[in-house]
Amino acid sequence: MLQGDTAPPSSRRADAHPEPVSTIVLAAGEGTRMRSATPKVLHRLAGRPLVEHAVRAAAGVEPDSLVVVLGHGRDAVAEHLDGVARALDRPISTAVQEEQLGTGHAVSCGLSALPSGLTGTVLVSYGDVPLLDSDTLRGLLAEHTGSGNAVTVLTAVVDEPTGYGRMLRDADGNVTGIVEQKDATPEQAEITEINSGVYAFDAEVLTDALKRLSTDNAQGELYLTDVLSIARADGRPVGALVCADPWLVEGVNDRVQLARLGAELNRRLLLRWMREGVTITDPGSVWLDCDVQLDRDVLIEPGVQLRAGTTVGEGATIGPDTTLAGCTVHPGASVVRTHGEGAEIGPGAKVGPFAFLRPGTRLAAKGKIGTFVETKNAEIGEGTKVPHLTYVGDATIGAGTNIGAATIFVNYDGVNKHRTVIGSHARTGADNTFVAPVEIGDGAYTAAGSTITQDVPPGAMAVARGRQRNVEGWVARRRPGTPADEAAQQALAKEPTTNPTEDAQRRTSNGEGR
């Protein structure tokens, strides 16, 4: 059993239904049409594996028990479900379908993980139907219990029913059964009301009917759909709830369907956030994961991808051309043409264009990370600027400091990482190299072109560079006849002639003749 917490379910969960409700999510299929080493139900859509979408929808009904039936790739799927259980703070049980003997057999495996003497209602759904939501399942449950049905199936009317079981009804519209695609007659194949594969069963009826299933069909499998016919033959009421939105019951069998449903889910997420007060200038080029959180008056420009765990505060601007994963952007910040992972961007801060924020980056309020800057495990203080062409790794920088262009924080000695600390209101020159561990004091300056290997006291100026000398005539001697030599000779010809004494003194001062 996978469990998010050892405590018993909350009283709210226990009192959610007048009679027990159990859910079974079928996720044992191999998914051969995905052509992938990854189990089908672990392929992601809007930042979550397919099976997680299904489990979250089932958990939203607040069932007394939730079981996922595993098969192919069971260890990887079970490991992910363990994390989902912790996130939902509720237990998730698993059952294993060793052989793929049909949907009826899969549900039997699921029942084996539920308490004996099961009563109440059993909801059955699939791990590859990612748009199905809790509201729809609650509606199915309400229809089932309100009508007193033994079986209630969720159906939909679609333009293209190929691949789905067809709903069979009598002249009065009553459900008489379901016929699978491979077993359908030509007339039955023309039916456009399809079985979604999602059901509500009376637990006792389901338990009894599963024992009576037969493999006498085109696939030689135990069909769960035959439970309807058995219940009806026993004089039990069978009903259906037509889902008004066919997208909610569409399954994923290959990567084409994965992309199709991904695009539809993204469209719905964008609509939701725009109605919540977010401006998205080009919805066709923006992608959001399910758990992204956006405040009002956020502006999202074209070419933006916001991945799992990202939150954006009120009035912030993201994009164009920005990808953020697991990032926190505080109100009023601006992030332009940037890739960020696990970073925090403070209120009113500015990032980009062309910045790379790696995990552990913390930019405080009104700070700046500019063009072609990479940061990692770096704390950058309030109002501090790292404007351009710089790598900041394993560093702490105080408030109000300016880091010069083309600066490198040398944090790795080949074995261990070391930290650089730069104080507040410091000014570091362009083309500096800070060799960690090293500390630059508050208010200190460092000269351009310096390699800093020793601590710099507060208020000091550090200069760490060789003295310049000019070797005149070097090009003429070492590169005669080159374009450089010709250009130099032309320039020298234009210079005023100096007397021999001054020329000799100049050469001596530059180190020539020594």
Side-chain angles (χ1 to χ4, degrees):
M1 175 179 288
L2 301 169
Q3 188 160 309
D5 191 271
T6 55
S10 67
S11 58
R12 180 176 65 88
R13 185 176 298 149
D15 297 338
H17 311 289
E19 58 180 27
V21 174
S22 303
T23 57
I24 298 175
V25 178
L26 305 183
E30 183 175 4
T32 55
R33 281 178 280 177
M34 298 297 287
R35 298 185 179 274
S36 175
T38 300
K40 179 175 76 168
V41 295
L42 289 185
H43 281 264
R44 290 181 175 267
L45 187 148
R48 290 175 180 163
L50 297 175
V51 69
E52 183 173 343
H53 287 281
V55 167
R56 284 179 177 270
V61 181
E62 299 288 347
D64 300 274
S65 301
L66 198 167
V67 178
V68 182
V69 180
L70 308 180
H72 293 278
R74 69 190 70 167
D75 291 340
V77 178
E79 181 179 1
H80 183 78
L81 290 176
D82 191 43
V84 176
R86 289 192 297 270
L88 296 178
D89 190 24
R90 65 152 300 134
I92 300 174
S93 300
T94 61
V96 176
Q97 186 183 22
E98 295 287 354
E99 296 181 82
Q100 309 300 297
L101 302 178
T103 52
H105 177 249
V107 171
S108 293
C109 294
L111 287 177
S112 68
L114 292 172
S116 59
L118 189 66
T119 60
T121 301
V122 178
L123 289 174
V124 175
S125 67
Y126 285 81
D128 60 358
V129 185
L131 269 60
L132 182 66
D133 56 21
S134 299
D135 285 344
T136 302
L137 288 175
R138 281 191 287 265
L140 176 64
L141 181 60
E143 172 67 22
H144 177 75
T145 56
S147 300
N149 290 332
V151 183
T152 308
V153 57
L154 185 65
T155 73
V157 177
V158 299
D159 295 331
E160 178 48 67
T162 301
Y164 289 95
R166 308 304 202 275
M167 297 303 302
L168 303 180
R169 294 179 181 266
D170 61 21
D172 295 326
N174 299 312
V175 174
T176 60
I178 301 172
V179 61
E180 297 292 342
Q181 169 91 25
K182 293 183 178 180
D183 299 307
T185 66
E187 293 77 14
Q188 291 171 336
E190 295 297 319
I191 297 172
T192 57
E193 184 184 9
I194 57 96
N195 169 30
S196 70
V198 179
Y199 306 89
F201 294 100
D202 176 87
E204 295 176 351
V205 170
L206 175 63
T207 303
D208 174 68
L210 288 174
K211 300 173 184 177
R212 299 156 61 186
L213 295 181
S214 167
T215 58
D216 185 17
N217 51 62
Q219 292 181 283
E221 296 181 347
L222 298 174
Y223 287 162
L224 183 61
T225 51
D226 290 343
V227 172
L228 278 74
S229 301
I230 292 172
R232 184 174 172 81
D234 290 346
R236 304 274 192 166
V238 174
L241 175 66
V242 179
C243 181
D245 185 354
W247 281 104
L248 300 185
V249 298
E250 185 166 338
V252 173
N253 292 302
D254 58 28
R255 296 182 197 250
V256 174
Q257 291 175 314
L258 182 70
R260 168 181 159 86
L261 286 174
E264 176 60 19
L265 178 53
N266 188 67
R267 185 187 71 83
R268 293 175 184 228
L269 290 169
L270 294 173
L271 286 175
R272 169 198 164 191
W273 286 116
M274 286 189 284
R275 288 171 177 150
E276 291 289 331
V278 174
T279 296
I280 301 174
T281 57
D282 180 20
S285 68
V286 173
W287 290 81
L288 305 178
D289 280 354
C290 288
D291 68 347
V292 167
Q293 296 297 312
L294 307 173
D295 280 350
R296 66 179 182 178
D297 292 325
V298 166
L299 171 61
I300 299 180
E301 298 282 21
V304 168
Q305 299 178 72
L306 300 181
R307 298 305 189 192
T310 296
T311 64
V312 183
E314 183 173 342
T317 298
I318 309 297
D321 306 326
T322 293
T323 298
L324 301 179
C327 292
T328 299
V329 181
H330 288 277
S334 172
V335 186
V336 179
R337 290 191 170 89
T338 291
H339 186 96
E341 301 174 8
E344 182 175 358
I345 300 164
K350 297 184 182 299
V351 178
F354 310 116
F356 181 19
L357 311 185
R358 294 167 59 189
T361 296
R362 300 289 180 266
L363 177 63
K366 300 180 181 179
K368 178 178 177 61
I369 293 175
T371 307
F372 300 115
V373 173
E374 179 180 347
T375 59
K376 187 269 298 181
N377 194 23
E379 298 177 10
I380 301 171
E382 182 173 354
T384 287
K385 298 178 181 179
V386 188
H388 29 229
L389 301 165
T390 293
Y391 170 69
V392 182
D394 295 290
T396 299
I397 306 174
T401 287
N402 188 87
I403 304 298
T407 292
I408 297 174
F409 286 63
V410 183
N411 57 332
Y412 184 47
D413 64 8
V415 177
N416 299 306
K417 298 288 182 71
H418 302 280
R419 198 161 189 86
T420 295
V421 177
I422 297 181
S424 297
H425 301 285
R427 298 290 183 267
T428 71
D431 197 24
N432 275 195
T433 300
F434 297 107
V435 183
V438 69
E439 184 170 348
I440 313 301
D442 292 347
Y445 278 59
T446 59
S450 293
T451 297
I452 306 298
T453 60
Q454 299 178 19
D455 292 351
V456 180
M461 160 67 87
V463 182
R465 60 191 183 201
R467 188 179 183 88
Q468 178 179 330
R469 69 187 183 96
N470 299 333
V471 182
E472 295 199 16
W474 186 91
V475 172
R477 294 192 300 274
R478 297 297 183 91
R479 301 291 186 270
T482 63
D485 182 36
E486 293 175 3
Q489 296 301 330
Q490 292 174 9
L492 289 170
K494 296 177 183 179
E495 289 186 358
T497 303
T498 59
N499 63 55
T501 301
E502 291 175 345
D503 189 52
Q505 290 175 343
R506 178 160 49 83
R507 289 198 304 272
T508 299
S509 68
N510 288 330
E512 298 179 54
R514 296 182 182 176

